[in-house]
Amino acid sequence: MRTTGKAALAAVAALSIGLTGCSGDKANPSNGASAGASGATGTPGTGTSAGASTGASGDTNGTTGGGQGSVASCLVGSWKATSITGKLSGAVGGDFTGGGGTLLTIDSGGKTQVDFGPMQPVTFTFSVSGNAVKGSFSYGGKVNGAVKSPSGTTGTLEPTGAVDFSTLTVTVDLTAPVAQRVADKVSIAEFAGTGTANTGGAVDAQPVLKKSQYDCGGGTLKLSPPAGETDTGTWTFTKA
């Protein structure tokens, strides 16, 4: 992992013995589920190169990296995130909030892009064995793919074909138990696993463009975890 604060992450890891076991492969793009943020993704294809591009659950009739789907009319357009808010579950316990500015575009055929360039940091805090771990993170780069949904204003939104996470990066700053930048524009494929576990699962290895419950109408779009997911977190967007 190319980070500027391996010692800081090691300090967090020392506090969070067993934390990686709690998060497991939920944070690894090559293994198909994700921690924190907006719930789980679908089952990815195997043999993904460096965890950069994953397949999706549901049909795979779309063209890889941007195939055509069928989406509700209320999803179509350009959206700007106002926030992501959620709680961390399991042994760590905690919460996260922030992320305004992230841009989401969905066209009438389901082609989708998430642009994290304008994203504001997400702050997180959790407790391990009575010790507070605090910090913030932000993504960079763009994620591309395609989605499908039912025709109503609520339902399940999920990718079709592959989702390209190859340019997605993450920057992480800790403020407690140490103050240090521990990852500086590191690729999500490198950071996933141990890195996401050491942030309590707050850093989602597959943000936004994955299987979610959507609710759209009145110029607002909310993407939440699918029913039954233990981690909770909701992205809220407004029409750009």
Side-chain angles (χ1 to χ4, degrees):
M1 182 189 302
R2 295 192 304 272
T3 67
T4 58
K6 291 182 180 179
L9 274 181
V12 175
L15 285 174
S16 54
I17 294 173
L19 181 56
T20 302
C22 295
S23 296
D25 286 337
K26 292 179 69 181
N28 193 329
S30 65
N31 289 327
S34 56
S38 50
T41 185
T43 302
T46 58
T48 299
S49 174
S53 177
T54 74
S57 62
D59 70 60
T60 54
N61 294 324
T63 302
T64 299
Q68 298 298 291
S70 177
V71 296
S73 59
C74 68
L75 291 170
V76 176
S78 297
W79 303 88
K80 184 175 182 178
T82 56
S83 67
I84 176 176
T85 57
K87 292 188 177 297
L88 303 173
S89 61
V92 294
D95 54 56
F96 51 91
T97 185
T102 302
L103 301 176
L104 169 66
T105 304
I106 305 174
D107 75 12
S108 58
K111 187 176 180 180
T112 302
Q113 182 179 87
V114 188
D115 183 358
F116 291 102
M119 179 182 179
Q120 298 169 2
V122 175
T123 59
F124 62 86
T125 180
F126 62 91
S127 177
V128 179
S129 301
N131 298 283
V133 180
K134 298 180 181 181
S136 65
F137 72 89
S138 60
Y139 298 112
K142 296 178 181 179
V143 175
N144 293 283
V147 295
K148 67 176 183 178
S149 79
S151 59
T153 58
T154 61
T156 300
L157 179 74
E158 56 187 321
T160 63
V163 178
D164 182 7
F165 292 93
S166 62
T167 69
L168 183 64
T169 64
V170 63
T171 296
V172 181
D173 292 291
L174 289 183
T175 56
V178 291
Q180 190 170 2
R181 174 157 290 184
V182 297
D184 191 2
K185 296 182 180 179
V186 174
S187 74
I188 198 66
E190 287 187 64
F191 193 79
T194 301
T196 51
N198 288 337
T199 59
V203 177
D204 186 351
Q206 297 180 0
V208 182
L209 214 171
K210 61 184 181 183
K211 187 175 181 180
S212 308
Q213 290 298 116
Y214 74 89
D215 188 338
C216 55
T220 300
L221 168 63
K222 292 186 177 182
L223 298 177
S224 304
E229 288 298 315
T230 55
D231 293 307
T232 61
T234 298
W235 283 93
T236 300
F237 296 86
T238 57
K239 269 291 177 68

